[in-house]
Amino acid sequence: MVKFYNTMSRKLEEFIPGGVKKDSIDEYPPVSIYSCGPTVYGLAHIGNFRTFLFNDILRRFLKFRGFTVNHSMNITDVDDKTIKGAAAEGISLKEYTTRFTDIFFEDLKKLNIEDFEHYPRATESIDSMNDIINRLNSKDLVYRDGNSLYFSISKYDKYGKLSRIDPDAIKSGTRYDTDEYHKDDIRDFALWKEVEPDEQGWDIDMGHGRPGWHIECSAMIRKIYNSTIDIHTGGVDLVFPHHENEIAQSEAAYDEPFVRYWLHAEHLLVDNSKMSKSKGNFFTLNDLLEKGYPARSVRYLLMTAHYRKQFNFTLENLENAEQPLSRIDNIVELCLRSKKTGPVRPAVKDRISSLLDEFTTSLNHDLNISGAIGHLFEAVTDFNKIYNEDSFSKEEAESVIEVFKKIDTVLGFIFFKEKKSSQLSDEEIETYISRRNSAKSEKKWDEADSIRDLLLDKGIVLEDSKDGTRWKMV
Ligand SMILES: [Zn+2]
């Protein structure tokens, strides 16, 4: 049974997509997930990527368990920061946000984060914002000040249930005009904001302007899913006011629950303090790659801690991440080199099935990733012991690789493909193979072996048979 800690109830709850319990996982409807994505006004930092990796693990694990997922992450391409950034450079909002959106997607790929099903843009969901605002207005929850529209919190008595904010703290009629907020200070928030004459704006029934930040997510969720969604994720800093405001707008507009499970990822610290450019502890992904750290180590390190725990990132930890990864690489390589035939020993078979059980049980429990990774390394130790007693047969090696591949559909760091420009093309691989074949025919065994090893280092395995040599990627 999969359980998640729901921020709404502050409890661990059984995960039931669609809200109706079924006899088996394949009977459930696709799991609808919405993750608050980046505001594309600059480069995302590694704290952001920790949260995006949490989203990745979440969807990968649900698929591993047999659910299908229908996952969205928004791109906030209009807000105070993006407008300011575009104006400062004297370029259009679109040109400005496209640049950072492209880099963001490249970074996701470098970290082996899976493609989600939808990447909605705020600017493409204006029609849904219009619908929400009209509905709220018909319920007398909207008021106007100049050309801006505000949500009146004091008229909505269910406000505050996610963050458990004290409703008495509501300063009725006081407003936030910017998208930046002070923690714990409840004020009416802008649904639709006045624009300067030279600023880009959109028309909705209640006037010309641009969206407030919170309504963007409510609108995109409505547009894609059209009803209650299963999971909403985001960083813990979004619980209040962003997610609280999303709930208020969506539930008041549509009179149905907005979200079943709220999952929030904790902050990342760097050198035990909050990342900041002035402290010199602010890292983008490329900062780390340029220092020579592999993207694989970054992925591994950022996902080792449970998503609800603060994680302290240091360059030393990142350096140390290469050691456990090479332990895995070593056992994988032993497997790939195993050639003798023979049965699968019970010790190997049992260890494979206990690994799979332990891994699944850990993740079932609110995505206990550190537990799951711990079980993987215990199994690596045991596989090495078994191997040292007597090396693997080809059949044993294949079954070990198979379980690693299955586990790696969640972890994504065992068979991590570094996006290197030095990756070989098919033609280059064929050239190596024919060089190896001529070395073999000239009985230059060392040369033949060194070519095989070189290809293996690049993740290419050769299989010799009487019909010639075939290759495959691992
Ligand atoms: Zn959001």
Side-chain angles (χ1 to χ4, degrees):
M1 182 197 299
V2 177
K3 287 184 174 179
F4 292 129
Y5 180 87
N6 192 343
T7 309
M8 184 63 90
S9 67
R10 307 287 197 275
K11 284 194 184 102
L12 212 53
E13 294 178 17
E14 181 182 356
F15 179 57
I16 303 172
V20 182
K21 200 164 160 79
K22 310 273 185 193
D23 293 331
S24 71
I25 284 178
D26 52 16
E27 291 172 41
Y28 283 108
V31 178
S32 44
I33 315 173
Y34 182 88
S35 300
C36 285
T39 302
V40 278
Y41 72 100
L43 301 176
H45 56 66
I46 54 169
N48 303 132
F49 285 114
R50 186 197 180 195
T51 308
F52 299 133
L53 273 165
F54 149 66
N55 292 321
D56 187 47
I57 297 298
L58 171 67
R59 59 173 282 122
R60 282 167 174 263
F61 175 62
L62 290 170
K63 284 161 63 179
F64 172 85
R65 287 304 319 270
F67 295 101
T68 44
V69 298
N70 186 11
H71 195 168
S72 309
M73 180 164 67
N74 68 301
I75 304 294
T76 298
D77 59 356
V78 51
D79 82 322
D80 297 350
K81 287 177 184 150
T82 45
I83 290 170
K84 217 167 128 190
E89 289 192 25
I91 55 176
S92 73
L93 185 62
K94 179 116 189 134
E95 197 181 335
Y96 180 80
T97 56
T98 301
R99 185 205 311 158
F100 292 111
T101 307
D102 290 348
I103 297 173
F104 176 69
F105 283 124
E106 275 172 33
D107 284 354
L108 294 182
K109 280 213 161 36
K110 284 180 193 162
L111 287 173
N112 196 19
I113 291 176
E114 279 192 350
D115 284 344
F116 294 1
E117 283 69 26
H118 312 274
Y119 294 106
R121 307 312 202 252
T123 53
E124 292 163 6
S125 312
I126 305 290
D127 52 342
S128 297
M129 298 177 203
N130 184 44
D131 188 51
I132 293 175
I133 292 172
N134 284 346
R135 283 166 183 267
L136 296 177
N137 190 42
S138 71
K139 292 173 182 178
D140 197 26
L141 290 167
V142 180
Y143 65 93
R144 182 186 291 276
D145 182 42
N147 288 318
S148 294
L149 303 170
Y150 295 88
F151 184 97
S152 179
I153 287 175
S154 60
K155 288 189 183 163
Y156 183 64
D157 58 5
K158 294 186 194 104
Y159 190 86
K161 61 184 178 179
L162 180 70
S163 56
R164 305 198 177 173
I165 209 101
D166 175 11
D168 295 337
I170 297 172
K171 296 179 184 124
S172 184
T174 53
R175 294 182 295 273
Y176 274 121
D177 285 314
T178 71
D179 290 333
E180 311 260 343
Y181 290 78
H182 303 285
K183 208 173 173 344
D184 300 337
D185 184 4
I186 313 176
R187 299 184 183 201
D188 293 340
F189 57 92
L191 295 161
W192 195 248
K193 298 165 84 164
E194 184 166 344
V195 289
E196 301 293 328
D198 57 341
E199 266 179 22
Q200 187 173 0
W202 290 263
D203 289 312
I204 58 168
D205 296 337
M206 290 190 73
H208 186 74
R210 68 173 173 91
W213 172 39
H214 311 297
I215 199 162
E216 297 184 356
C217 289
S218 285
M220 289 185 260
I221 290 173
R222 192 72 198 177
K223 188 160 180 164
I224 293 168
Y225 301 104
N226 203 28
S227 68
T228 308
I229 61 165
D230 292 312
I231 302 175
H232 194 315
T233 76
V236 70
D237 53 320
L238 298 183
V239 173
F240 179 83
H242 183 52
H243 291 163
E244 199 70 79
N245 292 350
E246 281 186 40
I247 295 170
Q249 296 159 155
S250 293
E251 298 199 348
Y254 298 106
D255 297 309
E256 64 177 17
F258 179 42
V259 169
R260 293 190 183 88
Y261 302 86
W262 287 92
L263 272 57
H264 289 101
E266 257 295 346
H267 287 298
L268 179 87
L269 300 175
V270 175
D271 298 331
N272 277 313
S273 58
K274 215 174 157 215
M275 234 185 302
S276 83
K277 282 183 178 153
S278 59
K279 280 188 213 148
N281 68 349
F282 183 98
F283 295 118
T284 64
L285 177 61
N286 275 338
D287 289 338
L288 299 176
L289 302 184
E290 277 164 19
K291 286 178 193 293
Y293 297 103
R296 183 192 186 197
S297 298
V298 179
R299 176 177 176 95
Y300 170 76
L301 183 63
L302 289 179
M303 61 185 266
T304 46
H306 188 259
Y307 75 94
R308 281 195 296 115
K309 292 207 173 99
Q310 279 198 349
F311 178 63
N312 185 36
F313 176 95
T314 63
L315 289 178
E316 200 188 338
N317 286 344
L318 185 56
E319 189 121 20
N320 293 340
E322 293 182 33
Q323 197 262 336
L325 291 172
S326 67
R327 280 186 61 206
I328 296 196
D329 292 345
N330 288 341
I331 188 83
V332 168
E333 196 162 326
L334 286 180
C335 290
L336 296 177
R337 290 178 191 279
S338 297
K339 292 279 179 286
K340 69 175 188 187
T341 54
V344 179
R345 280 168 282 175
V348 176
K349 211 172 158 199
D350 292 350
R351 196 58 189 93
I352 286 172
S353 82
S354 63
L355 167 59
L356 212 47
D357 281 352
E358 292 161 349
F359 182 82
T360 310
T361 307
S362 288
L363 290 172
N364 276 347
H365 190 88
D366 194 29
L367 294 180
N368 178 5
I369 191 78
S370 37
I373 293 175
H375 290 306
L376 168 65
F377 283 107
E378 285 161 16
V380 168
T381 304
D382 291 343
F383 288 137
N384 276 311
K385 274 187 203 154
I386 299 171
Y387 185 93
N388 289 336
E389 281 163 19
D390 189 9
S391 59
F392 289 152
S393 68
K394 196 163 170 272
E395 290 75 9
E396 286 175 333
E398 276 169 4
S399 52
V400 172
I401 291 286
E402 195 186 322
V403 74
F404 283 165
K405 280 193 172 158
K406 187 159 173 57
I407 282 177
D408 206 39
T409 61
V410 184
L411 300 177
F413 63 68
I414 301 179
F415 300 97
F416 189 97
K417 296 280 179 302
E418 205 72 51
K419 302 273 176 297
K420 280 189 204 152
S421 49
S422 66
Q423 232 163 31
L424 297 177
S425 66
D426 289 8
E427 292 75 29
E428 286 168 321
I429 297 170
E430 294 299 341
T431 310
Y432 275 117
I433 291 175
S434 62
R435 266 177 51 196
R436 178 171 168 263
N437 286 341
S438 18
K440 276 167 73 179
S441 62
E442 292 163 29
K443 299 198 168 22
K444 292 179 181 165
W445 305 116
D446 284 352
E447 190 185 330
D449 284 350
S450 74
I451 293 173
R452 194 193 58 194
D453 288 350
L454 180 147
L455 291 172
L456 191 59
D457 271 349
K458 295 184 184 293
I460 295 147
V461 184
L462 302 184
E463 284 174 350
D464 294 316
S465 73
K466 59 178 187 320
D467 304 319
T469 306
R470 287 184 310 165
W471 62 270
K472 64 178 183 190
M473 301 286 287
V474 288

